[in-house]
Amino acid sequence: MMAHERQDLATPNGRPIAATFFLPRGVGKGAVLLVPAMGITQDYYRAIASWLAGHGYLAATFDFFGTGASLRGKLRDVDVNILDWARFDCVAMVEELCVRLPGKPIFWIGHSLGAQILPFVPNRRKIARLIAVASGSGYWRENAPGLRWRAKMLWFLVVPAVLPLFGYFPGRRLRMVGDLPAGVMRQWRRWCLHPQYAFGVEGPGAREQYAAVETPITSLSFTDDEFMSARNTESLLSFYANAPKNDQRIAPEQVGATRVGHFGFFRERFRDSLWQQYLLPELGPSC
């Protein structure tokens, strides 16, 4: 484990979030921001962040406000949505990396949700490259076949029933996604029920924000992803109409594995295969 620093970071709306910075030896070649999937806390990305620091990059993880170590008080009292996470939490993380490593490129590794929200981040032009891992649109009818019936139950039955009852989404208790603020879950439900996901729900402004992204995108998706289908990934990439895109669809056997799935990429056992082969080549100079 490389040296690391934990910090409560102030966001533009005055709500602190918990962040961890993994420090390279000497001056970093660049900075890497690991933006989490829905319901996943920053500790899940500890191994890859430490590995990146060992390869000369300042790597940062964080918990969205109202999740993990960024939860203050009771979850039912948290008033936040996904766009708040993009406009405030992600902005704060990007600015902190600019301060810590001025003049060096910043790379955004977005896991699932983490690759969907870049258009809503006001300072996104400071990002040199988006690396989208196991990400797609989230539209439930395009989900991987094994997920569709569970997604239908989640969006049409479970969420409408439990949010009024608990005041938040008790995902741990239900073994679904994770505990999440009510505002996040309501917005995510609207997105997942629309064929064009956030692109279609948030109005013309969202379309313009996706179209304005010109940051190069590398998409790493997996044939055995139990959540995101190839169609989900294609849909998301189509929203980024004006961004240069490199779409890589990877089968587990290509890296000598029996399974990768939606979450496997970030497990340490892939450090000498997926990380080395598919990630390091993307972390070049600013584009």
Side-chain angles (χ1 to χ4, degrees):
M1 180 66 64
M2 298 295 291
H4 59 280
E5 297 176 357
R6 288 193 175 271
Q7 179 180 347
D8 280 346
L9 193 65
T11 63
N13 64 345
R15 294 171 163 177
I17 57 172
T20 306
F21 299 89
F22 294 78
L23 311 176
R25 296 184 179 94
V27 178
K29 294 184 281 189
V32 180
L33 178 60
L34 290 139
V35 186
M38 184 70 77
I40 304 299
T41 60
Q42 64 176 310
D43 287 344
Y44 191 77
Y45 307 99
R46 176 186 292 268
I48 195 169
S50 182
W51 180 84
L52 286 164
H55 281 78
Y57 295 91
L58 171 62
T61 63
F62 70 102
D63 289 322
F64 288 122
F65 183 77
T67 70
S70 296
L71 173 60
R72 271 71 173 185
K74 296 179 179 179
L75 187 52
R76 66 174 57 90
D77 297 328
V78 174
D79 181 15
V80 71
N81 61 36
I82 302 170
L83 295 185
D84 292 333
W85 284 351
R87 294 166 178 165
F88 304 120
D89 301 12
C90 292
V91 163
M93 291 301 300
V94 171
E95 291 302 320
E96 179 66 17
L97 290 174
C98 287
V99 170
R100 285 175 173 257
L101 210 60
K104 296 297 179 73
I106 300 174
F107 302 94
W108 179 296
I109 299 179
H111 182 198
S112 198
L113 176 77
Q116 300 166 4
I117 60 175
L118 182 64
F120 306 114
V121 179
N123 57 358
R124 64 179 180 270
R125 288 181 175 82
K126 297 182 179 181
I127 303 301
R129 179 176 295 277
L130 163 62
I131 302 169
V133 178
S135 191
S137 72
Y139 175 48
W140 77 278
R141 289 186 183 273
E142 293 178 351
N143 286 154
L147 178 66
R148 277 179 215 148
W149 71 269
R150 289 185 289 152
K152 185 175 183 179
M153 181 177 67
L154 175 67
W155 300 129
F156 289 99
L157 296 176
V158 178
V159 171
V162 302
L163 286 189
L165 183 63
F166 289 90
Y168 67 96
F169 184 71
R172 289 184 188 174
R173 190 176 308 185
L174 299 171
R175 297 184 180 180
M176 305 173 83
V177 188
D179 290 351
L180 291 166
V184 166
M185 205 62 182
R186 290 191 188 98
Q187 188 172 46
W188 194 33
R189 178 180 183 270
R190 291 195 299 272
W191 290 8
C192 288
L193 292 179
H194 196 287
Q196 292 185 307
Y197 199 55
F199 185 79
V201 171
E202 300 300 331
R207 295 170 183 267
E208 294 170 2
Q209 286 169 299
Y210 273 98
V213 174
E214 297 179 348
T215 304
I217 299 172
T218 296
S219 172
L220 305 177
S221 63
F222 305 97
T223 59
D224 66 333
D225 191 324
E226 66 274 27
F227 292 170
M228 295 291 178
S229 67
R231 178 57 186 154
N232 281 140
T233 299
E234 291 165 2
S235 292
L236 177 65
L237 293 178
S238 73
F239 302 157
Y240 288 104
N242 295 312
K245 292 177 281 286
N246 175 18
D247 183 11
Q248 301 196 48
R249 186 85 173 158
I250 304 163
E253 54 267 26
Q254 290 177 243
V255 291
T258 57
R259 177 157 181 75
V260 179
H262 192 67
F263 299 100
F265 179 87
F266 297 95
R267 298 189 185 279
E268 192 167 12
R269 66 175 176 266
F270 290 116
R271 62 186 301 163
D272 297 322
S273 53
L274 285 172
W275 300 358
Q276 189 76 34
Q277 183 177 347
Y278 291 95
L279 187 56
L280 276 189
E282 302 301 326
L283 302 180
S286 180
C287 302

